Amino acid sequence: MTQTPPPGVERNAAPLLHGTEADALATVLPGGQWGHGPATDQFEAGIADLIGVNDAVAVNSGTTALHLALRSVGIGPGDDVIVPSLTFCASVQAITWNGASPRFAEIDPDTLAVTADTVLEALTPQTKAVMPVLYGGRAVDLSPIRDELARRGIQIIEDAAHAFGSRHPDGTMVGAVPGVLTCFSHDPIKNLTTGQGGTIIPRSRTEANNLRSLRLFGIVQSKDARASLTSYEVQGPGMRFDMSQLNAAIGLAQLEHFTEVAALRQHLWRTYQAELDGLDGVQLVDVDVANTVPFNCVVRLNRDRDKVFHYLRERNIGVAVHYPPNHTQPGFSAWRRNLPVTDRVAGQILGLPFHPAMTYDSARYAVATLAEAIKATA
Ligand SMILES: Cc1ncc(COP(=O)(O)O)c(C=O)c1O
């Protein structure tokens, strides 16, 4: 292809700036209080409102959200947490950093997510939590086994890093399913960014208070209240895991345009779907676009994926592989299992350029170059 690549196609993922982020930062910069503050509280309220829940607890990353959520339900040494191997290593590190063991589960090759059956297959007597990863933004339905898990005292803590704004097919927002603790990421390329950050959607006010204490030193009094006190009370463990006002200000500016970005992402995904239709040897991973704010656009190739990847990279197409599986990582070798479906799928997946800062023409160009790559590497 000799045509100049259209803008944005060279990047796999990128944030879309709306032009209001700098002004939002300017409102919090002069105050000099850049840690947790009113902008953070406002951001939490905005998230809770959008999801239709009572509380949202903002933290400094999606990884921290997972780590704290696990800790808040008492996961620690001797406990197994079921997690797909095909996820970003952050999901697994949040488990191991709490001293617990990841128990890797298989996935459905069509959605790249765990199912009720693959979770049941992975259960052990030590299982204390299940961490489904909402790959590409698609909701994961564990309702068929929710009662069984509850009976065994197993918690569901969702890694919804990809899934901010998505719904279940019955219309329930991800984050609003009773009994499920949900964690979002707001890193620069996620559906809603704060620059860096995350939120946990707690299941009760008590859980919210506990998470707020864990995220900021275990101190009872707010920063404002402490200004007029000569002491404060530390009620338990805590770290500095709060979301700064600087990040919250960016998040508030982005939140104003979330509906628009969600529609852009859905339209971009549908553009890919139409362009990929009929392309031999390529299967689109189904995100259930009607209910999902897609985070990515991933295909499975029945060709030599690595050759296609390099062909496209050499032509400046921002393809990426999300993710190399975790059960074969040296750092997780203690928890290695035989996972044939994951092994097979991990060699087939290819993420196409996908972000709201690119044009629909860029998607068409990416698919045309993919078609060329498939021919050239057959
Ligand atoms: C599936 C998954 N889980 C967790 C995370 C961690 O989120 P963060 O980068 O905000 O720490 C990411 C982010 O890349 C992710 O993709």
Side-chain angles (χ1 to χ4, degrees):
M1 205 172 273
T2 49
Q3 188 190 333
T4 315
V9 78
E10 74 288 355
R11 302 175 80 174
N12 184 256
L16 175 64
L17 294 175
H18 304 291
T20 47
E21 289 80 4
D23 286 347
L25 277 169
T27 62
V28 292
L29 275 172
Q33 290 291 341
W34 297 341
H36 181 108
T40 319
D41 296 339
Q42 215 184 318
F43 178 72
E44 287 185 342
I47 298 289
D49 188 49
L50 192 139
I51 296 175
V53 291
N54 292 328
D55 274 302
V57 178
V59 292
N60 60 5
S61 74
T63 311
T64 307
L66 292 169
H67 175 74
L68 279 189
L70 288 165
R71 184 176 174 122
S72 75
V73 302
I75 302 299
D79 298 336
D80 283 352
V81 179
I82 295 177
V83 64
S85 169
L86 201 84
T87 179
F88 185 48
C89 61
S91 325
V92 186
Q93 296 291 26
I95 297 167
T96 58
W97 204 249
N98 273 307
S101 299
R103 171 79 173 159
F104 292 117
E106 280 286 26
I107 46 168
D108 176 344
D110 293 333
T111 63
L112 308 186
V114 298
T115 65
D117 286 341
T118 67
V119 168
L120 285 182
E121 182 281 325
L123 279 179
T124 67
Q126 290 74 41
T127 304
K128 290 289 177 328
V130 179
M131 186 191 285
V133 174
L134 280 57
Y135 193 99
R138 183 184 180 135
V140 172
D141 179 19
L142 292 185
S143 59
I145 56 168
R146 208 176 302 144
D147 291 346
E148 168 72 5
L149 296 178
R151 202 179 52 72
R152 294 181 185 224
I154 298 171
Q155 309 270 348
I156 302 175
I157 296 168
E158 288 186 322
D159 180 343
H162 296 183
F164 187 80
S166 295
R167 293 177 182 276
H168 287 259
D170 70 359
T172 311
M173 292 290 291
V174 168
V177 176
V180 175
L181 193 49
T182 301
C183 300
F184 294 112
S185 161
H186 305 302
D187 80 15
I189 61 167
K190 292 302 191 301
N191 289 356
L192 178 78
T193 185
T194 57
Q196 185 170 291
T199 42
I200 310 169
I201 308 299
R203 296 165 295 184
S204 66
R205 186 50 57 81
T206 309
E207 189 162 68
N209 290 342
N210 184 36
L211 286 163
R212 291 200 166 101
S213 178
L214 283 171
R215 77 159 172 208
L216 204 52
F217 308 122
I219 293 178
V220 177
Q221 292 84 3
S222 72
K223 196 187 274 178
D224 282 353
R226 287 197 325 259
S228 52
L229 296 172
T230 55
S231 186
Y232 54 77
E233 186 187 328
V234 178
Q235 66 179 0
M239 270 286 157
R240 184 182 281 290
F241 286 153
D242 56 323
M243 177 185 281
S244 83
Q245 293 213 77
L246 303 180
N247 292 110
I250 294 173
L252 283 165
Q254 290 271 323
L255 202 50
E256 292 226 334
H257 294 271
F258 183 70
T259 311
E260 182 189 314
V261 168
L264 269 172
R265 284 183 174 273
Q266 285 183 316
H267 193 84
L268 185 60
W269 197 91
R270 286 189 164 114
T271 303
Y272 269 118
Q273 186 180 35
E275 293 296 311
L276 288 163
D277 188 36
L279 190 57
D280 199 28
V282 178
Q283 190 187 329
L284 184 56
V285 172
D286 183 8
V287 294
D288 180 23
V289 68
N291 294 303
T292 296
V293 178
F295 165 64
N296 58 18
C297 181
V298 175
V299 292
R300 286 169 54 208
L301 303 178
N302 72 0
R303 299 283 194 282
D304 184 332
R305 190 272 317 276
D306 289 10
K307 268 196 198 161
V308 172
F309 172 89
H310 292 299
Y311 183 99
L312 291 167
R313 273 279 165 190
E314 278 156 22
R315 282 149 190 84
N316 229 357
I317 307 293
V319 284
V321 175
H322 294 139
Y323 300 92
N326 287 286
H327 70 288
T328 52
Q329 292 287 359
F332 303 136
S333 60
W335 302 289
R336 202 172 180 143
R337 293 187 73 202
N338 193 22
L339 297 175
V341 176
T342 301
D343 286 336
R344 175 167 53 84
V345 166
Q348 299 174 328
I349 52 175
L350 186 72
L352 302 173
F354 190 87
H355 52 89
M358 65 186 267
T359 62
Y360 305 124
D361 271 351
S362 304
R364 292 187 191 100
Y365 182 87
V367 175
T369 319
L370 173 65
E372 214 183 79
I374 285 171
K375 240 190 238 154
T377 58

